[in-house]
Amino acid sequence: MLADSRRHGATSGVYRVSNHRERVTVVIRTKNREQLLARALDDVLAQTFDDWRLIVVNDGGQRRPVDALIQQRTFHDRVEVIHVDGGTGSMEAAANLGAQKADSEFVIIHDDDDTWDPQFLEVMVAALDADEDAVAAAARTEIIFERVDADRITELGRAPFVPPGEIVTMYDLLQTNRVVPIGLLVRRRVYDEIGWYDPALKVVGDWEFNLRLVRHGRVLFVGEEPLAFWHQRPQATGAASNSVFGESLGHMQFDRMVRDEALREYVDRNGIGGLLYLSKYIEETVRHYSLQQTVRRALHRPFAKLRRRRR
């Protein structure tokens, strides 16, 4: 199902008068997080590559703070704000509202709490220009742990977040999402070819989209150094929290929903016999391995005690 701005009661505040077709559309989805949104807006403005258009989707948040932040900055004619009264109901529907307005060559979702290296767009666009067969490019991404206070944002630490083997594969994505939106630049035509984000998924919609994306074509892995930064606040609650923490139960439930739907489609085409065998085989293999480990530990204890006594 495609997101429809009229269905969501969305209205646009247009700060755009030029007919120039930018190469990249950046979509920021936000809701009542002015401090984080201000950082995200400055992050886009700091890019060395400047052939972009910005669409801000205010997904049910207050209007005035968002408009004020836009007006405080010099975007010239390259920004449009979509205010959605009452919200769209999911992050994916909000992403669709912005992405569907894109008439650029590339699209990227820049959540209001994440950031880029200043050369992110320059490097990523160049990578896709050099490989016309690739459907998207994924940047080396780093996790930044932080705390948000009333007057400042404090970095607490960092950790790498990259695909195993530094390559984007279906094999790895079947386990969990290996590419987050802040690090993924997608060709705009791909949305027309594989569909949009599923608005029924309140979380994990980016993972479900990535599963379709890698089936459709090759995704480049780009960057000797991190170019995208996924900011996380494990202890935060309310508007400042991340969905991966604040919606942890939802992540588990929607993860299973995605897998279950794919499993049903597989069974409809291939029958259930092979899966019944495989699930039992895995269960018995795990049980056998666990039993072996238990026996080894039990046998090891007497010898360990004997060695201690001899000492």
Side-chain angles (χ1 to χ4, degrees), residues 123-188:
V123 173
M124 300 295 281
V125 169
L128 286 176
D129 282 346
D131 190 340
E132 295 183 357
D133 293 332
V135 296
R140 179 183 296 277
T141 300
E142 192 169 56
I143 299 172
I144 297 180
F145 299 102
E146 63 186 13
R147 183 181 67 249
V148 176
D149 300 310
D151 58 342
R152 64 182 179 276
I153 301 173
T154 304
E155 182 177 322
L156 304 177
R158 298 191 177 207
F161 180 79
V162 294
E166 300 183 344
I167 183 173
V168 182
T169 66
M170 172 66 75
Y171 176 84
D172 295 307
L173 282 168
L174 286 174
Q175 301 169 47
T176 188
N177 194 18
R178 302 292 187 177
V179 180
V180 288
I182 190 64
L184 184 66
L185 184 67
V186 182
R187 295 191 190 277
R188 170 60 181 83

Side-chain angles (χ1 to χ4, degrees), residues 7-68:
R7 180 170 62 86
H8 292 298
T11 58
S12 294
V14 181
Y15 303 83
R16 172 182 171 83
V17 295
S18 172
N19 291 321
H20 172 66
R21 180 177 180 266
E22 293 84 0
R23 296 200 68 195
V24 178
T25 296
V26 180
V27 178
I28 294 181
R29 45 191 180 184
T30 188
K31 180 180 180 181
N32 294 334
R33 305 204 294 191
E34 294 89 73
Q35 192 176 17
L36 295 172
L37 177 59
R39 181 176 67 181
L41 295 174
D42 291 337
D43 189 53
V44 176
L45 286 169
Q47 289 295 297
T48 56
F49 179 92
D50 63 359
D51 196 7
W52 49 260
R53 171 193 181 192
L54 175 63
I55 299 177
V56 178
V57 181
N58 179 21
D59 195 19
Q62 297 180 31
R63 292 181 173 225
R64 288 185 180 180
V66 174
D67 289 336

Side-chain angles (χ1 to χ4, degrees), residues 184-295:
L184 184 66
L185 184 67
V186 182
R187 295 191 190 277
R188 170 60 181 83
R189 62 172 174 78
V190 171
Y191 289 100
D192 296 324
E193 294 164 355
I194 70 171
W196 303 86
Y197 301 98
D198 186 346
L201 298 173
K202 293 184 178 180
V203 289
V204 309
D206 54 336
W207 170 57
E208 189 274 336
F209 175 82
N210 288 344
L211 288 170
R212 286 184 277 130
L213 182 66
V214 295
R215 287 181 63 189
H216 186 63
R218 181 165 44 82
V219 178
L220 298 176
F221 180 75
V222 179
E224 294 296 326
E225 299 294 331
L227 294 173
F229 303 98
W230 182 21
H231 293 250
Q232 297 186 8
R233 296 164 296 284
Q235 307 304 321
T237 59
S241 68
N242 298 92
S243 67
V244 70
F245 299 109
E247 296 286 345
S248 58
L249 178 59
H251 269 265
M252 181 179 68
Q253 292 175 335
F254 282 96
D255 178 288
R256 293 211 169 188
M257 285 174 57
V258 171
R259 295 179 190 277
D260 195 64
E261 181 176 352
L263 195 60
R264 290 172 183 272
E265 292 177 357
Y266 180 88
V267 168
D268 287 344
R269 291 194 303 269
N270 302 284
I272 202 170
L275 293 176
L276 283 174
Y277 167 79
L278 186 60
S279 62
K280 192 64 176 178
Y281 174 81
I282 293 173
E283 176 192 354
E284 291 180 351
T285 301
V286 171
R287 186 189 302 134
H288 178 69
Y289 176 78
S290 178
L291 179 60
Q292 283 184 324
Q293 293 298 99
T294 302
V295 171

